[in-house]
Amino acid sequence: QVQLVESGGGSVQSGGSLRLSCAASGYTYGSYNMGWFRQAPGKEREGVATIDSDTRTTYADSVKGRFTISQDNAKNTLYLQMNSLKPEDTAMYYCVAFIELALVDFGYWGQGTQVTVSS
């Protein structure tokens, strides 16, 4: 079955960097679009970045210029490089494999990795 396992979260100070990884298994990597979503306590879920099989990327305005999504098809792994982190980036980050963004709730979700940024 499809399995997505995130890693790389942690606690950093404002201005610091983290790289999240998402190891995918159970399907042919590249057959789904991939993305990172996040949710902070008391806030709505937010799409952070997506990448498709043609490596076209999209970013939330709040992370443009600071975050970079990428993937290594040979390793079946999705990444999110996060630089210049801010306290408002604090959230649980989820890796998702999906067919269409409108149907992301029906995609495959990882268990999440916590990112905490202190001021």
Side-chain angles (χ1 to χ4, degrees):
Q1 69 276 20
V2 175
Q3 189 171 19
L4 303 173
V5 180
E6 302 98 334
S7 61
S11 297
V12 296
Q13 290 192 330
S14 182
S17 298
L18 286 173
R19 188 175 82 153
L20 305 184
S21 298
C22 172
S25 61
Y27 70 102
T28 301
Y29 193 83
S31 59
Y32 290 94
N33 298 312
M34 301 295 295
W36 290 96
F37 287 70
R38 66 186 182 186
Q39 187 163 24
K43 294 187 177 180
E44 291 193 357
R45 186 182 67 197
E46 175 186 23
V48 176
T50 66
I51 186 168
D52 67 14
S53 57
D54 293 321
T55 68
R56 289 172 295 195
T57 59
T58 67
Y59 294 93
D61 287 342
S62 58
V63 307
K64 281 181 181 177
R66 301 188 297 120
F67 290 10
T68 303
I69 189 172
S70 63
Q71 58 190 358
D72 185 334
N73 289 351
K75 295 182 178 180
N76 292 355
T77 301
L78 178 73
Y79 302 101
L80 184 69
Q81 178 66 45
M82 305 186 296
N83 299 328
S84 301
L85 283 162
K86 304 175 181 180
E88 51 263 44
D89 295 318
T90 295
M92 185 72 79
Y93 284 71
Y94 298 92
C95 169
V96 187
F98 59 97
I99 298 297
E100 295 181 21
L101 196 56
L103 301 176
V104 70
D105 285 344
F106 300 99
Y108 296 100
W109 290 72
Q111 83 288 349
T113 187
Q114 178 68 38
V115 172
T116 302
V117 185
S118 58
S119 57

